[in-house]
Amino acid sequence: MASLSVSRHSHLLSGLLPARSKPTSGPTRVRMSLRDDGPSIAVVGVTGAVGQEFLSVLSDRDFPYRSIKMLASQRSAGRRITFEDRDYVVEELTADSFDGVDIALFSAGGSISKKFGPAAVDRGTVVVDNSSAFRMDEKVPLVIPEVNPEAMQHIKAGTGKGALIANPNCSTIICLMAATPLHRRAKVLRMVVSTYQAASGAGAAAMEELELQTREVLEGKPPTCKIFNRQYAFNLFSHNASVLSNGYNEEEMKMVKETRKIWNDKEVKVTATCIRVPVMRAHAESVNLQFENPLDENTARDILKNAPGVVVIDDRESNHFPTPLEVSNKDDVAVGRIRQDLSQDGNQGLDIFVCGDQIRKGAALNAIQIAEMLL
C-alpha cells in the first residue's frame, strides 16, 4: 500500500520555501494536541493538497483531538498516512464515517460535500466545508474568523447538534483580510479587484503539471497540458472557471456574492477580474477601494499594521512589497502598495496590493481557525 507522510518540506506544497511563519493568534489560540477530552475529528479529502494542509495546520496549532479519521475516495482508501508520529489508514468515505465525529473538515469538492455534508450533520457532526456547495445558502454561515466570527457564534462542537459552516473562496478570504479593517473604519462603497491566482487553487495535480511544464518548456519539449488544456508555464490566462452569461466567470462572481454575504452588505459594489498565473501556491490581488468616509493612506497603513492575521510590507524606498514567494507557507496575509487613489477626490479611495497563501489562509488555516471557535 502507498504511504503518505505529512511533511513540512514538500517542495510542491511549500511553494519552494520550507520555512513557515509562526501560527497567527487569530480569534482563538489553542495549545494542545492528542488528549482524551478533545473532540473527535475527521478530515475528508485527506490525500489532496488542502487535506494535507489541514493536517499540517492541526499539528502546527496543536489542535486538541481525541481521535482523527482520515477519509478519502475509494481510490485512495488503504493508503497509509503518518501524522504526529502515528500511522493511520485512509478509509473510504461513507455516510457512516461520521458516527461519533464532532468536527469534520471537508475539502473534496462540491459534489462530495453536497452528498456527505448533510449526512454528517444528521449524525451530530459540525462540518467545516471548503467547497462552494453551501456558501450562498442563507442558513449556512460563511466565515472568516478575523472578519465575521459572530456569524457562527450559535454553533458549538460536541453538543450532538450538527451544523454546516462554509469556508469562503480563497481569493475572497485573502482580499477581505486586508479590506475589512479599512471597511470598518471608512465603509467601502465599491471594490475593484484583479487577482493573480496560483496553481494550488486548482489542486495538487495542477501544481505538479506546472512544474512538469516548466521543465518541458526549458528543455524545448511540447508541454503536457492535461489540467488547463493550454500551456501554463511562462504564461497567464483568464481564470479557468466557467464564464457566465453576464461575461463574468464563476470565480469572479464568488468574490462579488461572498463579499456581500460576509460583510452583511447587499449594497456594496464589487467587481473582479480573475487571472491564473504560473505561481505555485500563493495568490496576489490588486484591490481598489472607494469609501463613504475619507481615509488617508497613513491612517490606513496604521490600521493594517494592527489588524490580526495581516502583515504590512510597504517599503517604497527599496521597492519592496508583497510577493507570492514571501507569503508561501505563511499564515499571515501581506499588504503593500498602500496609496491614495488619485482618480478620487478627498481621500475617498485607496489602492492596495495583497498576497496570501492560497492553501493555508485561503483554505486550511481558515478552516482550522473556525474549528477552534467551535471548542
Side-chain angles (χ1 to χ4, degrees), residues 18 20 29 33 41 54 76 104 124 132 144 164 178 198 208 211 220 257 259 271 273 298 320 357 361 368-369 373:
R20 278 211 179 101
R29 187 77 172 100
S33 192
I41 61 178
F54 278 151
S76 296
S132 61
I144 305 171
L164 283 164
E208 291 166 2
E211 184 180 38
K257 295 177 181 179
T259 296
T271 185
T273 301
N298 292 325
H320 181 203
D357 188 301
K361 182 54 186 174
I368 303 306
Q369 288 176 305
M373 294 170 62

Side-chain angles (χ1 to χ4, degrees), residues 98-294:
F98 303 100
D99 290 339
V101 172
D102 296 315
I103 301 171
L105 304 168
F106 272 64
S107 189
S111 60
I112 295 297
S113 294
K114 288 177 181 178
K115 181 177 180 180
F116 292 102
V121 172
D122 288 344
R123 286 164 169 77
T125 303
V126 178
V127 172
V128 183
D129 180 44
N130 193 55
S131 80
S132 61
F134 306 106
R135 287 176 186 157
M136 299 315 299
D137 187 324
E138 291 183 359
K139 298 178 182 178
V140 176
L142 182 65
V143 177
I144 305 171
E146 295 90 343
V147 174
N148 64 330
E150 68 282 353
M152 57 168 286
Q153 62 185 0
H154 60 291
I155 303 174
K156 292 294 178 183
T159 64
K161 185 177 181 181
L164 283 164
I165 302 172
N167 222 25
N169 192 40
C170 49
S171 53
T172 305
I173 293 173
I174 291 165
C175 176
L176 296 192
M177 284 292 292
T180 299
L182 306 178
H183 174 58
R184 287 173 178 154
R185 172 65 67 92
K187 186 173 174 56
V188 173
L189 298 177
R190 183 171 185 260
M191 181 166 69
V192 181
V193 185
S194 298
T195 72
Y196 312 93
Q197 297 185 219
S200 56
M207 299 168 75
E208 291 166 2
E209 184 165 291
L210 174 57
E211 184 180 38
L212 174 62
Q213 281 194 11
T214 301
R215 289 200 187 100
E216 290 172 335
V217 172
L218 289 174
E219 293 171 359
K221 300 176 182 177
T224 300
C225 302
K226 295 180 179 178
I227 305 300
F228 298 113
N229 298 317
R230 69 185 80 193
Q231 182 174 323
Y232 189 13
F234 306 100
N235 192 21
L236 58 83
F237 46 86
S238 182
H239 193 282
N240 49 292
S242 299
V243 179
L244 307 174
S245 60
N246 64 1
Y248 285 72
N249 62 43
E250 290 180 350
E251 186 80 0
E252 293 157 353
M253 290 308 300
K254 287 176 185 177
M255 180 165 285
V256 173
K257 295 177 181 179
E258 291 176 18
T259 296
R260 290 173 176 166
K261 180 174 179 177
I262 292 166
W263 280 357
N264 192 26
D265 184 353
K266 295 181 180 179
E267 302 303 317
V268 65
K269 294 178 171 61
V270 181
T271 185
T273 301
C274 296
I275 303 297
R276 190 72 76 182
V277 297
V279 170
M280 198 57 78
R281 64 173 283 161
H283 290 352
E285 305 184 22
S286 170
V287 184
N288 175 266
L289 300 165
Q290 179 184 348
F291 300 108
E292 181 176 85
N293 304 306

